[in-house]
Amino acid sequence: MRFLVVGGGAREHAIGAALQRAQAEVVVASANANPGLESFAAASARIDPTDPTAVAAFARAQRVDGAVIGPEAPLASGVADALRAAGIPTVGPGRDAARIESSKQFARELLTRHGIDAQPRYVIPATVEEVDRAVAGFDGPFVVKPSGLTAGKGVWVQGVDFTEPKEAATYAKSILVQGGAVLLEERLDGEEFSLMAFVTDSGVYPMPVVQDFKRAQEGDRGGNTGGMGSYSQRDHLLPFLPAEARDRALSVLERTVGALRAEGLAYRGILYGGFMLTARGPVLLEYNARFGDPEGINVLTLYEEGNFAELLLGVANGRVDPNLVRFRLRATVVKYLVPPGYGDRPRAGGTVEIDAAAIERAGPHVYFGSVEPVGPGRIRFSTSRGVALVGEASAIHEAGARVEAALRFVRGEYTLRHDIGTKEDLARRTEHVRRLLAPGAKPSPLPLSVAAPDAPPSSASPPEFQLH
Ligand code: AMP
Ligand code: GLY
């Protein structure tokens, strides 16, 4: 089997590696030459991955049996449509269905139209006057987010990215006057988790739950990033996430797929729900139409049984054999090595010496992101995330410790979050949720309603499930 991978980051390196483990030939279309993918690709071309015509022409010339699209931008520009029109079964929704990610407005309104109530209170102002009215209407902290793609970096959270409502109003208005749509949402309190699923005509097949670390610095400080790292737990839940909450989130994904279908939008690809576990249960923050980066790296590391190429082809063709959707019962931790200053003012061009073979011998896997080889064992970082290291063990903190131990094989100008997957960090998150869900917990100062946008915020209700 010959598979096209679109994109050249660490997530795509991990997708390519999983295909390679399944004895598939990997062909790559990306803007950059990813040193990991280059090491095993049967063919690789520097093309703009968001150019549907160029990607489809390359895929046809390479006679691939299927294609999988890594990043969001090619989905938003219609690369999956072009590949399908060229007769190539593709993992990734077409441009219209990919609006579930590329337009947060579309996603929120779709859920509202179909009565899927796992949403924060939100307002989508059409004019600058409506921004002022919306801001005045929140009786607690709120967030501002551009509707379009921002690589996870456009969201402003009150109390974190801004203090005064008028700063947020100015930001929201600046998005509007540039012709963009903007959402204002109540700020939810809780812990985030990512639930990804393979979605095709035959059903919705969930993957292990992952928690992503979006803030650049330890203790969840600093700017929002694409993700500094992530972990997953042996039982495919999370330390703070009971099975009931995962099941409710899965039901939100299933109902969303039903809503898309009811509106004539077929979906064959990965659907990623970014949720906040709140006192009211899981609330949807955003959808992505692809594997998360880094979350995809966690789950792909656990996919070693079965045949990944066959699974992807099943997704692309509309029918998945459920026996192929199996993930090993192990914990994983991914940590990204990033350029110093990443998340705020990243410094490009730093060089890093990395003995990838020694790391792999010690256990962790190495996935290359936005780096350029500059000599044997030497790479140069850009301003983006450089290298993902993933450790595996039976407990999350042990998987994290394995990544930390691998750092002895890395030298140079990089930084990372040491706190991802530590016992202390896990305890803090579990305690956070325990406090939120505790019987008789003080009503949150935040309006934790999951009401429809124009309904008044409901008063705090008792938690609906307990931690085990
Ligand atoms: P998004 O791109 O919508 O996932 O937002 C990026 C990040 O902003 C999320 O992962 C959250 O950390 C934060 N965020 C987004 N929406 C909210 C919200 N309504 N309440 C609190 N935090 C939010
Ligand atoms: N880690 C979040 C994302 O892939 O967008």
Side-chain angles (χ1 to χ4, degrees), residues 98-402:
R99 279 182 298 155
I100 197 81
E101 169 166 12
S102 62
S103 167
K104 291 182 197 292
Q105 173 170 12
F106 171 79
R108 288 263 177 253
E109 292 178 344
L110 178 82
L111 268 62
T112 299
R113 274 198 298 282
H114 293 266
I116 303 170
D117 59 0
Q119 300 221 78
R121 193 163 77 82
Y122 71 89
V123 180
I124 304 176
T127 62
V128 294
E129 292 74 31
E130 282 180 32
V131 171
D132 288 324
R133 272 204 296 281
V135 166
F138 284 103
D139 51 7
F142 64 98
V143 309
V144 179
K145 39 174 107 170
S147 175
L149 296 178
T150 61
K153 296 162 197 160
V155 177
W156 278 28
V157 179
Q158 189 169 18
V160 183
D161 306 289
F162 71 93
T163 313
E164 291 302 320
K166 62 176 186 297
E167 296 170 62
T170 305
Y171 176 49
K173 288 174 190 174
S174 74
I175 297 166
L176 268 187
V177 298
Q178 286 166 48
V182 63
L183 288 76
L184 282 77
E185 297 179 357
E186 65 172 303
R187 190 190 81 190
L188 298 163
D189 186 17
E191 282 292 328
E192 291 181 47
F193 64 95
S194 309
L195 177 61
M196 297 177 281
F198 298 102
V199 174
T200 192
D201 312 3
S202 62
V204 174
Y205 307 88
M207 306 183 211
V209 182
V210 183
Q211 187 175 35
D212 180 22
F213 286 66
K214 288 206 164 68
R215 295 279 167 179
Q217 287 160 31
E218 297 190 357
D220 289 335
R221 287 172 299 110
N224 253 328
T225 71
M228 293 293 292
S230 45
Y231 67 79
S232 72
Q233 183 166 276
R234 187 176 184 281
D235 60 2
H236 300 169
L237 296 168
L238 295 173
F240 58 82
L241 186 78
E244 303 92 289
R246 188 264 320 272
D247 294 345
R248 280 172 62 172
L250 178 58
S251 146
V252 173
L253 294 194
E254 287 166 342
R255 284 180 286 152
T256 300
V257 171
L260 286 166
R261 203 162 284 149
E263 300 202 0
L265 296 168
Y267 200 104
R268 292 177 176 180
I270 317 299
L271 183 61
Y272 161 134
F275 289 91
M276 181 89 84
L277 179 61
T278 71
R280 291 288 307 270
V283 178
L284 183 86
L285 294 181
E286 66 161 345
Y287 273 124
N288 293 325
R290 50 175 174 82
F291 284 115
D293 187 355
E295 296 95 322
I297 300 174
N298 298 82
V299 300
L300 290 164
T301 300
L302 295 173
Y303 191 87
E304 278 187 359
E305 304 159 32
N307 184 333
F308 192 57
E310 210 182 308
L311 169 60
L312 288 190
L313 207 59
V315 173
N317 281 324
R319 176 152 296 279
V320 158
D321 172 357
N323 291 320
L324 289 176
V325 192
R326 272 196 306 204
F327 296 89
R328 286 181 298 112
L329 290 164
R330 299 274 284 169
T332 61
V333 169
V334 175
K335 297 194 188 205
Y336 254 117
L337 313 187
V338 300
Y342 182 72
D344 184 21
R345 277 170 200 274
R347 282 203 301 282
T351 54
V352 171
E353 284 174 43
I354 179 164
D355 188 343
I359 295 175
E360 298 261 350
R361 273 197 302 277
H365 295 295
V366 181
Y367 294 113
F368 291 103
S370 184
V371 298
E372 188 193 338
V374 287
R378 277 172 76 84
I379 50 180
R380 181 179 294 131
F381 275 31
S382 69
T383 53
S384 303
R385 294 176 290 183
V387 178
L389 300 181
V390 46
E392 181 186 320
S394 53
I396 296 165
H397 68 275
E398 289 164 10
R402 289 188 180 174

